Amino acid sequence: MADTHSNAGAIWALGVTQIIGYGTLYYSFSILAPGIAVDLNVAVEWIYGCISLALLAGGLISPWAGGLADRLGAGKIMSVGSIGAAAALAVCGLAGSTIEFLAGIILVELASAFVLYSTAFAFLAQTTGVRAQRSITYLTLIAGFASTIFWPLTALLLQAMDWHQIYFLFAGLNLAVCLPLHLWLSRFARIVAARPVENTAVPALMTVDNGNLVFVLIVLGFSLAGFVSAATLFHMVPMLGLLGLGTAGVWVASLLGPAQVASRLINMAFGKDLPATVLAVVSAITMPVALGTLALSAPSTSGAVAFAVVFGLGSGLFSIVSGTLPLAIFGKAGFGKRLGWIGMGRLGLSALAPFALSVALGAIGPRPSLGMLAGAGMLCVGVFAEVWRRCRAARQVTVVLE
């Protein structure tokens, strides 16, 4: 019972750091970008170009960060990452030119590789044993409030201070809240490592032929999902404005967080026995459905609400799948590094997304741009359907041999 309570405390601590991490390092950007562009006297596309380069840098460093988490412990890596995140946000706050802002936002994404989901999932795999997949679901349930909190909060803060001051405030949050929690989690990990090894049976891994090809497909699927997600999330509020939603865009976008949380609650209640491969396909299907709904219904507020809810449901499930799918197929050995490679592919393709959609919105308008994203979403569905087919075929062969 004590172990259960301590594990719950670790998950809650991680949940708080993920809310602050995603809120300050990721979700706030789309709210701050237009004001930054005006203040630095550049086109907003240039600002989105900065985040594209930054995401690429974060992707390139992800396998290394994952390997460090495997070797040194994810808790230690997140503690160092908190300091890096605070420093990076402070650099953004000090930026007085486009080059200085570019340097700061690249540092932000480099720090993100050490403090966000990939490293947090590795921490849970290292500390919660056979309950790792369930713990990942609980964590994503808590962290799903990041966008709900930080989109409106950032918009509210802009009414009282400028973007420089907001970045300094966010730096302080990472230093004052996330760093102490990550240091405590490092101590928690050391205590767990000193416990007797659990005798509980380890869940059987999925057996697949040509595991390397399956892993490549998984990386490709998450990369396509990351492209669609990054493009949509970074542009959600301004894109809803272009479609005629006006000021309603902010509160419509804020529905994303509750939908993410709802999808995780539904999965916890009814999807306990659903294979991770099936959950990946279901998650992927929501993206083209949501984007198609928005394109066909705009400027209807009810259509926009449906889009935000469906996209949020899929996004919430994807957060779970990104941790549970590779864990279910390949196990805990080298889990952090596998997540790092997935992160490199996802962030590498996501790096193109903010800039590409920014250009597309200006060149062809919001509706055709949504069609382009929906097409990428359909490709993602096809890739994860192939992963599911290969795992299912291998499982059937195993049953026949037995």
Side-chain angles (χ1 to χ4, degrees), residues 392-402:
R392 182 170 177 268
R395 189 162 55 249
Q396 288 175 340
V397 169
T398 302
V399 171
V400 170
L401 290 176
E402 291 175 349

Side-chain angles (χ1 to χ4, degrees), residues 31 151-152 155 237 240 245-255:
I31 305 296
W151 269 335
V237 175
L240 290 173
L245 273 297
T247 56
V250 173
W251 73 261
V252 168
S254 69
L255 296 174

Side-chain angles (χ1 to χ4, degrees), residues 223-236 239 243 284-295 307 311 349-350 352-358 360-361 364-381:
S223 298
L224 288 167
F227 177 87
V228 176
S229 179
T232 304
L233 293 177
F234 276 112
H235 287 279
M236 182 175 284
M239 184 164 61
L243 288 167
I285 288 172
T286 61
M287 293 189 300
V289 170
L291 293 164
T293 299
L294 181 61
F307 151 74
F311 197 88
L349 198 53
S350 296
L352 301 173
F355 180 71
L357 186 58
S358 180
L361 287 170
I364 61 176
R367 292 180 196 275
S369 298
L370 287 170
M372 176 187 71
L373 289 179
M378 288 304 299
L379 285 176
C380 181
V381 173

Side-chain angles (χ1 to χ4, degrees), residues 2 86 104 134 157 166 168 205 233 238 258 302 313 379:
R134 201 72 180 150
L157 288 172
I166 291 174
F168 287 131
L205 301 179
L233 293 177
S302 59
L313 289 172
L379 285 176

Side-chain angles (χ1 to χ4, degrees), residues 212-376:
N212 289 336
L213 176 58
V214 170
F215 184 66
V216 169
L217 288 172
I218 289 173
V219 172
L220 177 60
F222 283 121
S223 298
L224 288 167
F227 177 87
V228 176
S229 179
T232 304
L233 293 177
F234 276 112
H235 287 279
M236 182 175 284
V237 175
M239 184 164 61
L240 290 173
L242 288 173
L243 288 167
L245 273 297
T247 56
V250 173
W251 73 261
V252 168
S254 69
L255 296 174
L256 185 77
Q260 288 177 327
V261 173
S263 70
R264 292 156 188 167
L265 286 172
I266 293 169
N267 179 65
M268 288 171 59
F270 304 106
K272 295 178 181 178
D273 300 321
L274 194 66
T277 48
V278 175
L279 194 61
V281 175
V282 173
S283 306
I285 288 172
T286 61
M287 293 189 300
V289 170
L291 293 164
T293 299
L294 181 61
L296 293 173
S297 65
S300 165
T301 303
S302 59
V305 168
F307 151 74
V309 170
V310 174
F311 197 88
L313 289 172
S315 179
L317 293 177
F318 256 122
S319 296
I320 299 172
V321 172
S322 64
T324 59
L325 183 61
L327 188 61
I329 296 176
F330 302 106
K332 293 199 297 182
F335 181 56
K337 194 162 189 177
R338 286 189 184 277
L339 289 180
W341 283 108
I342 291 172
M344 185 176 76
R346 178 176 57 83
L347 290 173
L349 198 53
S350 296
L352 301 173
F355 180 71
L357 186 58
S358 180
V359 172
L361 287 170
I364 61 176
R367 292 180 196 275
S369 298
L370 287 170
M372 176 187 71
L373 289 179

